[in-house]
């Protein structure tokens, strides 16, 4: 109840207060902050996927700026010898405005990353983007095999069909690389499972399908039950450790993250940075089960 109230109040809270709670999920506002966090994670045997924050862009000059920032980021992480990939949100490059422009911008980023032996993952946004982002992925996968991946969301009823289509598209090459997450956007019940039980059940059905069909899964969750379910599937199908990885978000469940690393499995942490931190932070705050308590306490002390 209190959580729902705080979620409803979030848009009205001063940005400064949102930053106080949201900054734990962000490496910082500048590229050097993301580099620092990534180097630290690498020191703990953890890879990173670096993400420049910003989405749903409509202005061409801003889109050009973001593309150049990604190209800079790729140069910087290669020159610093960091162990990381990159995550991109296609709406940052005008996906909903002009698909061809978006493709050209993303292509430049993926081409540069691929030429330096690096990997780019296309994040999945809300359902107005699902088909468009899958199309982008297929196009780029043909051009840069082994250097590009996609995200699918277990809350969507269509995800198993999308996985089947990707297997057909792959034609046995074993190149399909999918980060499987629960999904963060508020989707209608016709399209998405709404209860935690159904989402979790679907997650494990999707993951089981991926293991049986030679799709490389990036198992992106902080849910202990799903991680245990993933361990069971890995043992059942005797999957080699280089055919999957776990992923978690920066600032979330570091203890659980350590326990996965200690088992000897590959772990990659999503490291977001940049000035456009607000939308990402509020999404994370809404997911934090203790958020209502932290914010209520802060408001009482501030008062
Ligand atoms: C690497 C990565 C990339 C992602 N990329 C995408 C994407 O492209 N598209 C998309 O729609 N979604 C993406 N997500 C978000 C995802 O869809 C979920 O919204 C998010 O991961 C929470 O789901 P969960 O599986 O951790 O389960 P939950 O049931 O939400 O969480 C399990 C437990 O983790 C802890 N926890 C979770 N979130 C928080 C938090 N913010 N603060 C503190 N504790 C927390 C709590 O203890 C909670 O009980 C990504 C997630 C990860 C890990």
């Amino acid at each position: 109840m209190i959580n729902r109230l705080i979620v409803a109040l979030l848009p009205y809270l001063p940005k400064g207060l949102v930053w106080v709670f949201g900054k734990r999920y962000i490496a910082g506002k500048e590229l050097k902050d993301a580099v620092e966090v990534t180097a630290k994670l690498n020191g703990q045997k953890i890879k990173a996927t670096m993400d420049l924050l910003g989405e749903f862009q409509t202005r061409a000059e801003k889109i050009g700026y973001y593309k150049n920032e990604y190209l800079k980021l790729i140069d910087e992480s290669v020159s610093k010898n960091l162990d990381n990939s990159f995550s991109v949100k296609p709406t940052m490059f005008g996906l909903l405005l002009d698909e061809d422009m978006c493709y050209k911008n993303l292509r430049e980023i993926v081409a540069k990353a691929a030429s330096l032996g690096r990997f780019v993952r296309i994040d999945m946004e809300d359902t107005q983007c699902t088909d468009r982002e899958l199309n982008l992925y297929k196009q780029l996968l043909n051009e840069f095999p082994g250097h590009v991946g996609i995200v699918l969301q277990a809350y969507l009823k269509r995800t198993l069909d999308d996985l089947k289509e990707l297997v057909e598209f792959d034609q046995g090459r074993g190149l399909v690389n999918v980060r499987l997450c629960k999904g963060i956007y508020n989707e209608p019940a016709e399209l998405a499972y709404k209860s935690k039980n159904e989402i979790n059940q679907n997650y494990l059905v999707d993951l089981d399908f991926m293991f049986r069909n030679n799709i490389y899964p990036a198992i992106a969750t902080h849910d202990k039950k799903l991680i245990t379910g993933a361990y069971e599937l890995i043992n059942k199908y005797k999957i080699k450790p280089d055919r999957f990885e776990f992923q978690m978000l920066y600032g979330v469940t570091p203890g659980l993250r350590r326990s996965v690393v200690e088992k000897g499995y590959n772990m990659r942490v999503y490291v977001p940075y940049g000035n456009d931190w607000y939308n990402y932070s509020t999404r994370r705050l809404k997911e934090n089960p203790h958020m209502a308590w932290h914010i209520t306490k802060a408001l009482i002390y501030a008062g």
Side-chain angles (χ1 to χ4, degrees):
M1 180 67 185
I2 293 182
N3 242 326
R4 273 212 297 275
L5 184 69
I6 297 278
V7 165
L9 280 178
L10 260 182
Y12 305 101
L13 292 180
K15 234 179 155 183
L17 186 60
V18 177
W19 173 249
V20 169
F21 296 103
K23 66 176 186 229
R24 67 176 270 199
Y25 301 114
I26 315 282
K29 293 183 180 166
E30 294 176 30
L31 196 159
K32 70 171 173 42
D33 301 321
V35 165
E36 203 176 297
V37 165
T38 297
K40 215 167 170 181
L41 288 166
N42 287 172
Q44 299 161 15
K45 296 192 190 151
I46 296 171
K47 300 166 200 292
T49 179
M50 293 162 101
D51 173 74
L52 174 61
L53 292 164
E55 55 201 286
F56 296 102
Q57 291 301 323
T58 49
R59 283 173 39 223
E61 68 275 15
K62 211 85 207 262
I63 291 170
Y65 162 81
Y66 284 124
K67 183 193 67 189
N68 290 332
E69 286 298 299
Y70 261 104
L71 297 177
K72 235 192 267 176
L73 171 64
I74 295 170
D75 277 333
E76 190 69 6
S77 58
V78 169
S79 78
K80 295 267 184 336
N81 211 14
L82 296 175
D83 190 354
N84 72 287
S85 53
F86 307 93
S87 286
V88 290
K89 285 194 170 42
T91 62
M92 172 184 265
F93 301 104
L95 179 73
L96 300 175
L97 206 63
D98 178 344
E99 274 180 55
D100 194 47
M101 171 184 74
C102 176
Y103 160 72
K104 284 180 181 145
N105 279 304
L106 273 187
R107 191 187 182 284
E108 230 182 287
I109 292 168
V110 178
K112 174 153 191 142
S115 74
L116 294 164
R118 296 303 189 99
F119 183 89
V120 178
R121 182 164 319 264
I122 300 170
D123 281 352
M124 186 53 76
E125 300 174 86
D126 62 21
T127 42
Q128 61 182 325
C129 303
T130 313
D131 283 324
R132 293 176 170 109
E133 294 183 350
L134 277 163
N135 288 341
L136 272 176
Y137 173 53
K138 288 180 191 161
Q139 237 174 316
L140 291 166
L141 183 61
N142 273 342
E143 290 179 273
F144 305 102
H147 293 282
V148 63
I150 184 80
V151 179
L152 290 176
Q153 297 149 323
Y155 66 9
L156 288 188
K157 295 177 179 174
R158 59 177 281 172
T159 291
L160 189 59
D161 289 333
D162 288 331
L163 286 167
K164 287 178 183 165
E165 204 184 308
L166 286 175
V167 168
E168 254 180 60
F169 177 81
D170 189 41
Q171 295 184 325
R173 292 174 297 172
L175 290 172
V176 175
N177 186 320
V178 177
R179 173 196 296 152
L180 185 64
C181 64
K182 287 190 185 179
I184 183 69
Y185 300 91
N186 191 12
E187 302 293 355
E190 310 91 81
L191 303 178
Y193 297 110
K194 290 291 181 183
S195 78
K196 187 165 177 164
N197 271 349
E198 280 179 312
I199 297 169
N200 279 17
Q201 214 176 332
N202 205 41
Y203 193 106
L204 291 175
V205 168
D206 293 339
L207 187 60
D208 185 290
F209 179 86
M210 289 163 83
F211 281 137
R212 283 185 291 107
N213 287 278
N214 201 21
I215 296 179
Y216 181 103
I219 306 160
T221 182
H222 320 89
D223 188 324
K224 279 187 198 157
K225 281 194 183 145
L226 290 184
I227 291 174
T228 305
Y231 289 163
E232 284 167 9
L233 291 173
I234 290 160
N235 291 334
K236 177 175 169 189
Y237 295 122
K238 300 188 172 42
I239 309 289
K240 295 206 179 95
D242 63 346
R243 284 303 297 166
F244 66 90
E245 67 189 50
F246 286 89
Q247 294 194 352
M248 292 191 187
L249 299 171
Y250 180 66
V252 180
T253 60
L256 184 59
R257 180 173 86 199
R258 214 171 307 119
S259 75
V260 177
V261 175
E262 281 165 4
K263 270 179 120 31
Y265 293 134
N266 283 320
M267 169 63 72
R268 189 180 302 274
V269 167
Y270 191 91
V271 177
Y273 74 97
N275 284 316
D276 288 321
W277 53 269
Y278 183 80
N279 286 343
Y280 179 87
S281 302
T282 51
R283 284 202 291 271
R284 295 285 79 84
L285 286 172
K286 287 176 193 172
E287 282 184 324
N288 184 337
H290 307 296
M291 190 249 324
W293 167 238
H294 289 316
I295 293 190
T296 311
K297 215 167 49 177
L299 289 173
I300 291 168
Y301 285 125

